[in-house]
């Protein structure tokens, strides 16, 4: 037989016994994950041209002087007085009409009608070309059934500062479409199968 505990306990054991009777002990286990200690690394940013002792970044290569895609041709018309404009435009349309008449003599079926600054060139297999003077703008306007409408300005070859008088390809100026640098005479020769000289203002013309 087990001997019974004495009813009277020492004062030091009374709190422990009272605790065990009233509540069950709760055991909580905390496990700590073993996280390796890794040093933090950062990639240094390379800066150029920011600090006084740093070098400027290299310029993009290749470089070009072509601003915003502009074509390398004359983009401004040459200065004309009102009387010069009428003289040059009238002379050009007269020379064109003579060229068409020569083509007719060679068997072409083109027809030309010129009146009040408007030249109509009728090509039966293609359509009608209209060239007319525009005094307010000092231009010659062209309506082509092949290449569409264009406005031509008077441009003196060699007007640019970097060109010299001796480097001019022609004696005087040309009627130029400033948007793409094309020449009115070249276009008419190609589309109408003509052989009109570019420099229609020379003494030999």
């Amino acid at each position: 037989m087990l001997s019974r505990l004495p009813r009277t306990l020492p004062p030091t054991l009374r709190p422990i016994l009272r605790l065990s009777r009233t509540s069950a002990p709760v055991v909580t286990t905390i496990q700590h994950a073993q996280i390796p200690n890794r040093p933090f690394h950062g990639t240094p940013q390379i800066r150029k041209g920011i600090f006084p002792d740093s070098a400027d970044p290299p310029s993009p290569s290749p470089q070009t002087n072509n601003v915003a895609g502009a074509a390398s041709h004359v983009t401004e018309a040459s200065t004309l007085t009102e009387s010069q404009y009428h003289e040059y435009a009238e002379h050009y349309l007269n020379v064109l009409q003579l060229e068409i008449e020569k083509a007719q003599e060679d068997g072409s079926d083109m027809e030309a009608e010129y009146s009040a600054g408007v030249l109509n060139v009728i090509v039966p297999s293609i359509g009608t070309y209209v060239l007319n003077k525009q005094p307010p703008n000092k231009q010659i306007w062209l309506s082509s059934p092949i290449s569409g409408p264009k406005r031509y300005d008077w441009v003196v070859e060699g007007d640019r500062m970097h060109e010299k008088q001796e480097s001019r390809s022609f004696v005087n100026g040309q009627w130029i479409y400033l948007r793409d640098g094309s020449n009115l005479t070249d276009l008419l020769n190609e589309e109408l199968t003509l052989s009109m000289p570019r420099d229609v203002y020379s003494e030999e013309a």
Side-chain angles (χ1 to χ4, degrees), residues 59-167:
S59 300
S61 182
Q63 293 185 345
T64 176
N65 293 325
N66 191 1
V67 180
S72 58
H73 59 259
V74 178
T75 56
E76 292 183 3
S78 300
T79 303
L80 278 179
T81 65
E82 187 175 351
S83 60
Q84 285 175 330
Y85 165 75
H86 285 288
E87 178 186 351
Y88 298 162
E90 195 77 20
H91 177 74
Y92 188 88
L93 296 177
N94 285 328
V95 171
L96 176 58
Q97 185 178 18
L98 290 174
E99 286 295 318
I100 294 173
E101 291 175 358
K102 290 179 183 178
Q104 288 175 337
E105 294 174 359
D106 294 335
S108 174
D109 56 356
M110 286 188 297
E111 296 181 5
E113 299 175 356
Y114 184 41
S115 176
V118 179
L119 176 64
N120 292 299
V121 181
I122 303 168
V123 184
S125 59
I126 299 175
T128 301
Y129 288 78
V130 180
L131 294 97
N132 62 302
K133 294 166 59 179
Q134 289 292 323
N137 302 320
K138 295 179 181 177
Q139 295 174 328
I140 293 179
W141 288 9
L142 166 71
S143 175
S144 163
I146 295 178
S147 56
K150 289 183 175 65
R151 302 180 179 187
Y152 292 87
D153 288 272
W154 173 260
V155 175
V156 175
E157 300 291 336
D159 260 4
R160 287 165 287 185
M161 294 298 295
H162 65 275
E163 295 185 358
K164 297 180 181 179
Q165 181 77 17
E166 294 78 10
S167 67

